[in-house]
């Protein structure tokens, strides 16, 4: 439970940095989100963290990275909530 809350907080901080244009800090916090998601073993949170990483890669102009991360999230699409699945498919 604590890891899920921590991941949600890190995702929010990453989003704020990304929105402010600090992609280095955004990447760091999205990495923290992903680590906590993996440690929580929550497939929804892992998929969400991969999509979050892809959003930063989009702003960095890394199309291949975006595709790789979204495909990784969709590898477990049967276990994802529709919101995360749709985000990865976009």
């Amino acid at each position: 439970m604590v890891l899920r809350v921590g991941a949600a907080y890190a995702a929010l901080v990453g989003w704020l940095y990304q929105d402010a244009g600090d992609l280095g800090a955004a990447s760091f916090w999205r990495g923290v989100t992903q680590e906590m998601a993996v440690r929580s073993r929550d497939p929804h949170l892992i998929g969400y963290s991969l999509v979050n990483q892809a959003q930063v890669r989009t702003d960095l102009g890394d199309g291949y990275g975006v595709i790789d991360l979204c495909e990784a999230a969709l590898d477990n699409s049967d276990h994802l909530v529709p919101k995360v699945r749709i985000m990865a498919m976009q």
Side-chain angles (χ1 to χ4, degrees):
M1 175 67 172
V2 173
L3 286 171
R4 290 182 184 143
V5 171
Y9 173 77
L12 173 63
V13 173
W15 174 77
L16 291 172
Y17 274 113
Q18 186 175 357
D19 201 41
D22 187 343
L23 297 180
S27 293
F28 172 80
W29 284 102
R30 298 298 173 101
V32 171
T33 302
Q34 190 169 13
E35 179 189 340
M36 288 185 178
V38 170
R39 290 172 57 198
S40 76
R41 294 174 177 78
D42 180 332
H44 307 291
L45 195 52
I46 293 168
Y48 182 72
S49 73
L50 290 167
V51 171
N52 271 258
Q53 288 278 31
Q55 291 170 346
V56 175
R57 303 312 308 171
T58 297
D59 285 354
L60 291 170
D62 179 11
Y64 292 117
V66 172
I67 292 169
D68 288 340
L69 289 163
C70 289
E71 284 180 346
L74 291 171
D75 281 347
N76 293 317
S77 64
D78 293 343
H79 303 290
L80 296 177
V81 293
K83 176 183 177 180
V84 174
R85 189 177 318 120
I86 289 168
M87 289 173 67
M89 290 170 39
Q90 287 180 338

